[in-house]
Amino acid sequence: MTAGHIYEFREGTRARTLYTFCDACNHIPFCGVGVRVEDGAPRGLSAWPGHLNRPCAKAYATLEEQGSPLRLTHPMVRTSPKGSRDPGWRRIGWDEAYRLIAGRLREVRERHGPDSVMFYAGNPKEMRLPLSRLASAFGSANFATEDSLCYKLHVLASLLLFGVVIPAYTSLDGARSVLLWGANPAASRPYMLPGLLRMRARGARFVVVDPRRTPTAERLADVHLRPLPGTDGALALGMINVMISREIYDREFVERWVHGFDALREYVSRFTPERVEAMTRVPARDVERAAVLYASERPGTVFLGIAAPQQSTNGAQSYRAVLSLAALAGNLDVPGGIALPTHPLLPYTVVGDEVLRPSDMLSLDFTLLSGKIEMRDRRADVDRVPVWAELIPTEVQANFLPEYVRDGVIRAGVFFGLNVAAWPDRQSYAAALDSLEFSVAIDEFYRPWTHDHVDMVLPAATMYEREEPFAVFGRRVYRRQRVLEPRGEARSDWRIIFELAVELGLGDRFWNGDTRAAMDWILRRAAGVGYEDVPIPEGKLIPPPGPEEFRKYERGLLRRDGRPGFPTPTGKVEVWSTVLERHGFDPLPAYVEPPFRPSADYPLILMTALRDPLYTTGRHKWESGWVRDLRPGPAVDVNPEDADARGISEGDAVTVVTPRGRLMARAHLTYTMLSGVVGFYPGWSDDPRTDVNVVLPRVLDPISGYPDYTYICELRRGWE
């Protein structure tokens, strides 16, 4: 009997509870769930014993997805030319699929070099580590992930400012204040909301920054700031202005550990609360109240959104301005403040995100990062986003895929979880796929807007059908179980990568295809325990080698050379970034107005980086019938005042008109939206008339390469 299985007998039916990790919220193993299985079918979910996180609506939706008719169940190869109305898919076996893929990749490598092949990890994110290893072993400098749209800008901004990656969601123990900026955990991370509510009950005070009235803001905020989309940087600079002008910043920390403070003081002097109100529509008194609260109620921590605040043409600088608030308040690496782990169990999470610095991953070089660093000058993005290429050695910036293909830099691609509808102007990404000499997509579901443009499609196992990888919560390691047999011929992402590596002649670097042996290798080196030594469901607690330390920058615990300070070029927190200065960018967290402003023809701001409690960025909708029943079609959130001015009522058919095209939706009237701002949920990718990324322009941040997900529009009653 497998450890952790619970057997119950009812009328001759064997039932058991198996344990896995849910990837429904953010496509990574955050929550442990127990799945009740009877006669090989899932019958319900429960919390994994010992985990604080419980299943939410998105988790339950995954049960229904198991039987979706859109599931991919066998490998397929295209028989019709690219651009044909019907790809003419032919079913093939796995052995033939591996031979075809390996053969085509070798051909491209021989003609154009190994860097002409891109290896891409989208959603879910659990295949990142082995795919990154495969890219390096193959010889390609071009491994990319969907973090080009998400978390890695947080990493970039943290490294520019602090030289280390500060957690976007830090320990909440002992904090007297929380700056919750651009995050709505009630929808995106519901398992975290109870802890935040308990903090408030204990007396912690909250500044919430979000243009919308969300359940998070309504239940937590002492001060709720509602800036116009795209103006976060101006708001942060206004709060810095208040902290400096009132001298309520941490003077001792700033004098010792902040580089460029005098220049920042001079720059923010123009961002008075009154001017910030004119730029953001946040009342000047609220700008002052928020700054005073966060600066005065120390220690304070942060809870930062990793989507909307970053996804703008000024995203890198705006995010640096937000992080600078924490630095000026002296809230870094202090008890109750922003915690930096003293003894991280792994240098990276199980999905490849750095714990402190990218270079720390060299201590357990599973991704062959040392090879990536040697190949850095060959990266496709080195001339387009040089700051990113310097500070993010783990992956290239994927948002320039159309340019890479157009310029002949990328000729083939291995794409796990790719969704072209994730990008503004998705048409250009579909066209790039059409132009590749060869591409293969691996996914759980067939999505024609992406897969009709590739040469091969492989079926991936769902979270219930795979055992890789393990997970780490704090200092406890957990193994997962395969709850259900894979549907059809689906295989786990890890297995596909390892078996493809063997076919490519790289088996000696992939444990000859044995994924358990690879996980055992990682755990023995990082935690001193073997894979089989981790019991299910309780997991294995790995005691730290020493006590938790704070103010590590004072004792040389952050720098590799052992000197006091931060691992930045100056050894200090760089509000004046010497890295940005060297690459010709403004070294201060400068604010630049959004490129598109309302006009007479397009008086409304279109906001699209929204999260729904039922699904995340389009997942768990078309594959789940009950979610479709709750939200049967695209809706646009509109303030009743804006709706009334246009003769629009609740549920009316409306056309969202932008300079680039039109969208069809139903009107949802709600005071959660600011007047002058409308919200459109992404993810309606099956019909271009309802996919907002078809009508968004492709405008990228020059520092990070991130796209802007806001635009301008008008609403008209009826479908045009």
Side-chain angles (χ1 to χ4, degrees), residues 307-636:
Q310 304 178 160
Q311 293 170 342
S312 76
T313 52
N314 195 50
Q317 295 287 43
S318 293
Y319 213 75
R320 286 185 65 227
V322 173
L323 293 176
S324 295
L325 286 164
L328 297 183
N331 282 328
L332 186 67
D333 205 25
V334 296
I338 300 172
L340 299 177
T342 305
H343 307 288
L345 187 57
L346 289 171
Y348 48 78
T349 70
V350 293
V351 294
D353 293 328
E354 303 88 340
V355 175
L356 282 179
R357 295 165 296 235
S359 58
D360 290 332
M361 298 174 73
L362 290 168
S363 64
L364 184 63
D365 199 7
F366 181 79
T367 65
L368 307 180
L369 179 62
S370 55
K372 296 183 193 303
I373 293 174
E374 292 176 1
M375 297 185 289
R376 181 161 14 200
D377 291 342
R378 293 160 36 193
R379 289 167 51 139
D381 62 356
V382 69
D383 294 325
R384 295 186 181 278
V385 275
V387 176
W388 174 284
E390 177 179 335
L391 296 184
I392 311 293
T394 52
E395 61 192 72
V396 303
Q397 174 51 270
N399 296 333
F400 293 97
L401 180 62
E403 285 77 16
Y404 301 154
V405 176
R406 180 198 66 196
D407 297 342
V409 176
I410 299 297
R411 305 283 185 138
V414 179
F415 300 107
F416 282 77
L418 176 70
N419 181 8
V420 300
W423 283 284
D425 186 21
R426 79 180 205 188
Q427 306 92 305
S428 63
Y429 292 86
L433 294 181
D434 284 333
S435 299
L436 288 173
E437 294 181 21
F438 174 75
S439 59
V440 55
I442 302 92
D443 214 319
E444 300 168 8
F445 300 94
Y446 189 82
R447 298 182 170 100
W449 53 91
T450 297
H451 298 144
D452 282 358
H453 302 276
V454 301
D455 297 286
M456 292 182 64
V457 181
L458 306 180
T462 68
M463 69 186 198
Y464 297 113
E465 301 166 350
R466 58 181 184 260
E467 66 176 9
E468 311 98 345
F470 58 86
V472 178
F473 293 83
R475 297 199 61 83
R476 188 175 289 273
V477 179
Y478 292 91
R479 280 173 53 198
R480 71 195 304 169
Q481 294 170 306
R482 190 170 70 183
V483 174
L484 302 173
E485 288 300 312
R487 186 151 169 217
E489 299 176 26
R491 295 184 179 181
S492 74
D493 296 317
W494 276 57
R495 180 182 175 185
I496 295 170
I497 293 166
F498 277 56
E499 291 175 344
L500 177 58
V502 170
E503 186 68 33
L504 284 165
L506 304 171
D508 59 332
R509 308 186 80 173
F510 282 83
W511 294 267
N512 295 316
D514 188 342
T515 61
R516 283 196 174 192
M519 292 188 288
D520 184 83
W521 184 91
I522 295 172
L523 285 174
R524 289 188 184 279
R525 282 156 180 76
V529 299
Y531 178 78
E532 299 290 347
D533 298 329
V534 179
I536 302 173
E538 58 266 37
K540 184 78 171 180
L541 179 64
I542 310 299
E548 190 68 29
E549 304 278 356
F550 294 98
R551 296 182 176 87
K552 288 182 275 294
Y553 48 85
E554 294 181 342
R555 297 191 297 281
L557 299 178
L558 292 181
R559 295 175 59 97
R560 288 187 171 274
D561 59 13
R563 297 169 57 189
F566 293 82
T568 60
T570 62
K572 297 183 177 183
V573 176
E574 293 196 352
V575 294
W576 178 286
S577 170
T578 56
V579 175
L580 290 180
E581 182 180 27
R582 175 161 43 84
H583 286 286
F585 294 103
D586 195 320
L588 291 170
Y591 175 67
V592 178
E593 288 279 347
F596 306 105
R597 303 308 298 164
S599 64
D601 292 333
Y602 305 102
L604 302 173
I605 297 176
L606 177 61
M607 180 182 180
T608 70
L610 309 179
R611 295 290 179 96
D612 189 289
L614 301 176
Y615 64 91
T616 302
T617 58
R619 287 190 75 212
H620 313 305
K621 183 170 74 267
W622 290 112
E623 295 86 11
S624 175
W626 74 267
V627 173
R628 289 200 307 272
D629 291 340
L630 293 171
R631 186 183 282 276
V636 57

Side-chain angles (χ1 to χ4, degrees), residues 157-209:
S158 294
L159 293 173
L160 285 168
L161 201 62
F162 305 112
V164 295
V165 182
I166 71 165
Y169 315 108
T170 66
S171 171
L172 303 176
D173 295 335
R176 295 181 58 189
S177 63
V178 181
L179 180 62
L180 203 157
W181 198 298
N184 179 22
S188 61
R189 296 174 186 257
Y191 55 85
M192 300 191 77
L193 190 58
L196 296 169
L197 291 170
R198 287 193 294 271
M199 280 190 65
R200 180 166 176 77
R202 291 195 297 265
R205 304 184 66 190
F206 284 78
V207 175
V208 177
V209 182

Side-chain angles (χ1 to χ4, degrees), residues 668-684:
H668 174 51
L669 276 56
T670 171
Y671 282 106
T672 63
M673 299 302 300
L674 279 169
S675 62
V677 180
V678 299
F680 198 101
Y681 288 86
W684 302 94

